[in-house]
């Protein structure tokens, strides 16, 4: 047999063998869809972590993680410093929910020495500051303005069992934002300048309704998607776009994006029946949250008007939740299951991978099939070539067995 014929046979054997290996991996569940843009942020010594918010430029992430003793502690993460334990207010537990635009101010809730849950505002120089309550014993801070001066959340009043939305400033302390006719309210999001607050409140019929609050207009009921309930969780920098979840006529929870001119827009799902939106980019064009897929799994999503909902994948498990997004919408944070069944905080960016052949930021069987189709028709041809993309992965302008092996290596590793 001459060398050319042997080489051709060897190449075909490699292709057949690699194809069988890839398909066996998919069948066995070892090559499940994976996001190449997801980075596991680790923990504080335990096994569990969740991320809820990110600074405007995407460099500082906050959330909660377990330490070696299994206690939940608020963290602040950076690429250079990793996870920093922000401490407590004298108790054993804390959670960080929001962060300022530059990442220097963190807000959340922590136990005090008496075991009471209290809203806090943290800075590197001052540590945790207890923001008090509205007359009761319990409070929680959800979000903070861009410059860190305005904090919003919920606290119990003197009646004890009534939760009320608050807006806090250093000069004015906690301001009760009222309700929509019921007895309770929760403030979850705030605009960049602190002038617009969103959340949900009980109406006179004791239904939870999404609200948008301003000093001049007070609380405005944003309606629903045909059902009775709605919750607002995030607002754009200018305060004009609100996102959250609302029930539709079939009583399904659906993610919404609200504007004064368009009202509530149902953002759909990932094939399942439920979804909710947690945060929105500065200009209101990118929405992140969680939605059910066709398999009944909850998955983190990133939505745009042009692209709709995109599944961001997981860390090797089956589920993921998105909690925050950078100002430009390019960085998403949240938490996802890993292969060991642990929940871990993640930071996602649209990261290119040789195995992401379709360019949707997810590596799955579609990438494999599309690459194989293009490679079969382009093998031995000069680049560019291909119907889906360009199989010249190593960029040497020739599509050959090296490109095939590079793809199989990346696909086998999930990225």
């Amino acid at each position: 047999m001459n060398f050319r014929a042997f080489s051709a046979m060897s190449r075909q054997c490699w292709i057949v063998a690699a194809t069988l290996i890839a398909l066996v991996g998919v069948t066995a569940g070892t090559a499940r869809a994976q996001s190449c843009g997801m980075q596991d942020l680790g923990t504080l010594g335990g096994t569990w972590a969740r991320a809820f918010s990110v600074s405007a430029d995407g460099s500082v992430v906050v959330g909660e993680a377990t330490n070696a003793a299994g206690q939940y502690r608020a963290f602040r993460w950076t690429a250079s410093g990793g996870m920093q334990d922000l401490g407590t207010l004298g108790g054993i537990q804390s959670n960080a929910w929001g962060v300022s635009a530059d990442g220097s101010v963190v807000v959340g809730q922590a136990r005090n020495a008496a075991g009471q849950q209290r809203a806090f505002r943290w800075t590197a120089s001052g540590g945790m500051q207890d923001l008090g309550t509205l007359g009761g014993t319990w409070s929680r801070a959800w979000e903070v303005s861009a410059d860190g001066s305005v904090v919003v959340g919920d606290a119990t009043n003197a009646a004890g069992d009534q939760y009320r939305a608050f807006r806090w400033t250093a000069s004015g302390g906690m301001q009760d934002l009222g309700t929509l006719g019921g007895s309770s309210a929760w403030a979850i999001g705030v605009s960049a300048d602190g002038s617009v607050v969103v959340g949900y409140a009980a109406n006179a019929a004791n239904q939870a309704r999404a609200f948008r609050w301003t000093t001049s207009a007070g609380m405005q009921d944003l309606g629903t998607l045909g059902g009775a309930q709605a919750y607002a969780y995030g607002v754009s920098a200018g305060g004009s776009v609100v996102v959250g979840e609302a029930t539709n006529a079939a009583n399904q929870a659906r993610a919404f994006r609200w504007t004064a001119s368009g009202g509530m827009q149902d953002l759909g799902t990932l094939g399942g029946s439920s979804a909710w939106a947690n945060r929105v980019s500065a200009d209101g064009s990118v929405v992140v949250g969680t939605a059910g897929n066709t398999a009944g799994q909850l998955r983190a999503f990133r939505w745009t008007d042009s692209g709709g909902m995109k599944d961001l994948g997981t860390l090797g498990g089956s589920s993921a939740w998105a909690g925050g997004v950078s100002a430009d919408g390019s960085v998403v944070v949240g938490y996802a299951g890993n292969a060991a069944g642990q929940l871990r905080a993640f930071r996602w960016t649209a990261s290119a991978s040789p195995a992401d052949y379709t360019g949707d930021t997810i590596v799955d069987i579609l990438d494999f099939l599309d690459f194989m189709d293009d490679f079969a028709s382009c093998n031995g041809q000069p680049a560019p070539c291909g119907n889906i993309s360009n199989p010249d992965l190593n960029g040497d302008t020739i599509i050959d067995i090296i490109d095939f092996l590079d793809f199989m290596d990346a696909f086998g590793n999930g990225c």
Side-chain angles (χ1 to χ4, degrees), residues 104-393:
S104 65
V105 179
V106 181
V107 299
Q109 64 190 73
R111 296 280 182 184
N112 61 17
Q116 300 166 331
Q117 199 81 263
R118 305 299 281 266
F120 74 77
R121 180 180 181 272
W122 176 96
T123 61
S125 58
M128 277 193 184
Q129 173 191 2
D130 185 334
L131 300 187
T133 71
L134 288 169
T137 60
W138 193 97
S139 61
R140 170 176 51 188
W142 282 107
E143 193 54 279
V144 61
S145 60
D147 67 359
S149 65
V150 179
V151 182
V152 300
D154 52 270
T156 53
N157 60 15
D161 60 348
Q162 295 177 340
Y163 293 88
R164 305 299 283 265
F166 73 76
R167 179 180 182 273
W168 176 96
T169 61
S171 58
M174 279 193 183
Q175 173 191 1
D176 186 333
L177 301 185
T179 71
L180 290 169
S183 60
S184 297
W186 295 259
I188 311 296
V190 64
S191 61
D193 67 358
S195 66
V196 179
V197 182
V198 301
Y200 56 98
N203 62 14
N206 203 34
Q207 299 164 329
R209 304 300 283 265
F211 74 75
R212 180 179 182 272
W213 176 96
T214 61
T215 303
S216 58
M219 276 194 186
Q220 172 191 2
D221 185 334
L222 301 186
T224 71
L225 289 169
Q229 311 286 334
Y231 309 82
Y233 300 137
V235 62
S236 60
S240 61
V241 179
V242 182
V243 299
E245 68 171 300
T247 52
N248 60 17
N251 203 35
Q252 298 166 329
R254 305 299 284 265
F256 75 77
R257 179 180 181 273
W258 176 96
T259 62
S261 59
M264 277 194 184
Q265 173 190 3
D266 186 334
L267 301 186
T269 71
L270 290 170
S273 61
S274 64
W276 62 94
N278 285 324
R279 286 293 186 263
V280 61
S281 61
D283 67 358
S285 65
V286 179
V287 182
V288 301
T290 306
N293 63 14
T294 54
Q297 300 160 335
L298 293 178
R299 305 299 283 266
F301 74 78
R302 180 179 181 272
W303 176 97
T304 61
D305 189 46
S306 59
M309 273 193 189
K310 297 295 185 183
D311 185 334
L312 301 185
T314 72
L315 289 169
S318 60
S319 299
W321 296 257
V325 64
S326 61
D328 67 359
S330 66
V331 178
V332 182
V333 300
Y335 50 102
N338 63 14
Q342 302 161 334
L343 286 182
R344 305 298 284 264
F346 73 76
R347 180 179 181 272
W348 177 96
T349 58
S351 176
S353 164
D356 179 24
Y357 196 67
T358 61
D360 63 357
T361 76
I362 303 297
V363 174
D364 57 18
I365 190 62
L366 293 179
D367 295 295
F368 176 80
L369 296 175
D370 286 341
F371 175 83
M372 290 302 296
D373 184 59
D374 277 358
F375 184 79
S377 61
C378 295
N379 185 22
Q381 302 298 314
C385 178
N387 296 316
I388 306 300
S389 187
N390 180 14
D392 178 27
L393 299 189

Side-chain angles (χ1 to χ4, degrees), residues 35-51:
S35 171
C36 294
M38 268 195 190
Q39 173 189 4
D40 185 334
L41 301 186
T43 72
L44 290 169
T47 60
W48 193 90
R50 299 194 296 176

